[in-house]
Amino acid sequence: MQSFVNQSARFQPADDSLAQMRVAYDALCRHFTPPLPDGVQLEDHVLSVDGRHIPLRLYRPATATPSAGWPCVLYLHGGGWILGGLDSHAFIAALLAQECAASVLVVDYRLAPEHVFPAAFDDCLAVWDWLSVDGLALGINPARVVVAGDSAGGNLAAALCLKARDRQGPALCGQALIYPALAAVPTEPAASEHADAPLLGRDDMAYYLAQYAPDPATHADPRLTPLAAANLQGMPPAFVAVAEYDPLRDDGVLYVRRLQASGVAAQCHLGRGLLHGCLRFWQQGPETARMVRALSAAITCMLADQTWHGQT
């Protein structure tokens, strides 16, 4: 992890402006993005809905599409709701397409502060609504979809599961969350124990939330803070990976415990010795590689409609 921190520190913004933060973040993402694996191809698409255009990127195996369509991972990227896009998480989207023998659809949702809550959520919901009806237009089987995301993307994925549960149509087959942000105030004791952790501290999370949801009146809305939901019954099976030295660690831990108490199959994978954002380091860090293997195995099981027995 020290090597990961040292490499990440090379990509500091030139000043404290949002524009420079995005330049630095994009450079960091490129540094940790390997070439597209052999046997994986990508396509860019745009979903037009309600007068706006949502860019999408589809990764899939470079083989014939199954007659029922590809099982699909709907991937929602992290970046504190203010950073990232189609390129920022290519490293994990391409890997999941390869390891899970599935299509992976990445959503370039609107970013804050230009577009505040619930804009990002609304974009993700619009993509799921379209995918659940017209997925075959992209060769995707709408009955075999797992939603996944890291950090802010994990937040959006959990929120999408709550909304999808209460709507008619195909159900999501599972949720795979990587160090998700699930509460307006990160859950204790990790929030205090790791308030000043490298790469993401408690003050960083407060800043990101203020950009995305500047109105405190929205902070109890489950679309923003899924842990605020009173009822988690009927949610799709869950795999939640958390990093030991992350102020968000206990958001994921508490979410899994509440899912299990509600009768939902859920597993919490603790990445020992890991930091927030470590997913990018999977090729160099053995413990992060173990997290990625667990993630891929869980998603593959959910997509294959096999019984998912979550455990902590």
Side-chain angles (χ1 to χ4, degrees):
M1 283 293 91
Q2 187 60 57
S3 176
F4 179 49
V5 171
N6 292 344
Q7 292 183 49
S8 299
R10 295 164 50 188
F11 303 97
Q12 296 298 317
D15 55 47
D16 59 2
S17 68
L18 178 59
Q20 287 302 312
M21 287 177 62
R22 288 173 173 167
V23 168
Y25 184 77
D26 291 347
L28 179 147
C29 294
R30 289 192 297 270
H31 174 75
F32 287 109
T33 300
L36 188 70
D38 292 338
V40 175
Q41 63 185 38
L42 61 83
E43 306 166 355
D44 284 337
H45 299 272
V46 176
L47 174 63
S48 297
V49 57
D50 295 335
R52 64 187 190 276
H53 306 287
I54 307 172
L56 307 170
R57 180 163 292 164
L58 181 69
Y59 296 81
R60 65 176 181 83
T63 56
T65 301
S67 57
W70 289 105
C72 178
V73 180
L74 178 61
Y75 197 88
L76 312 178
H77 70 81
W81 303 285
I82 68 172
L83 306 170
L86 291 183
D87 296 324
S88 61
H89 288 67
F91 74 98
I92 188 62
L95 176 68
L96 291 177
Q98 183 179 52
E99 294 297 314
C100 302
S103 60
V104 179
L105 188 64
V106 180
V107 180
D108 189 11
Y109 54 81
R110 287 172 291 174
L111 298 178
E114 296 92 338
H115 305 282
V116 299
F117 172 81
F121 173 81
D122 286 346
D123 285 355
C124 297
L125 179 61
V127 173
W128 165 240
D129 283 345
W130 170 78
L131 190 63
S132 64
V133 174
D134 294 323
L136 284 174
L138 292 183
I140 290 170
N141 181 349
R144 305 305 318 155
V145 179
V146 168
V147 63
D150 64 289
S151 195
N155 166 279
L156 292 165
L160 182 62
C161 288
L162 283 166
K163 192 68 173 180
R165 177 195 62 179
D166 299 329
R167 294 164 69 99
Q168 295 182 344
L172 286 159
C173 296
Q175 52 183 314
L177 317 181
I178 305 101
Y179 32 75
L182 301 173
V185 177
T187 305
E188 297 291 349
S192 294
E193 291 174 352
H194 309 299
D196 299 316
L199 305 181
L200 182 79
R202 186 165 55 184
D203 289 347
D204 298 320
M205 275 308 305
Y207 170 79
Y208 292 139
L209 181 66
Q211 305 309 302
Y212 179 46
D215 181 1
T218 65
H219 291 184
D221 189 323
R223 295 174 300 168
L224 176 68
T225 53
L227 278 173
N231 177 13
L232 296 182
Q233 293 179 346
M235 291 284 277
F239 171 88
V240 182
V242 297
E244 183 177 9
Y245 300 117
D246 180 356
L248 298 182
R249 181 194 67 205
D250 292 341
D251 277 19
V253 172
L254 178 57
Y255 185 61
V256 167
R257 289 175 180 167
R258 286 193 57 199
L259 287 170
Q260 292 173 337
S262 299
V264 178
Q267 176 183 351
C268 183
H269 176 97
L270 174 62
R272 298 193 181 279
L274 299 183
L275 297 167
H276 192 89
C278 63
L279 200 65
R280 297 185 184 281
F281 204 62
W282 72 269
Q283 290 186 309
Q284 301 178 55
E287 184 64 20
T288 306
R290 190 172 77 88
M291 177 185 285
V292 169
R293 289 194 299 270
L295 171 69
S296 299
I299 291 175
T300 299
C301 182
M302 293 172 182
L303 289 175
D305 199 20
Q306 298 173 2
T307 301
W308 171 247
H309 298 292
Q311 58 184 7
T312 301

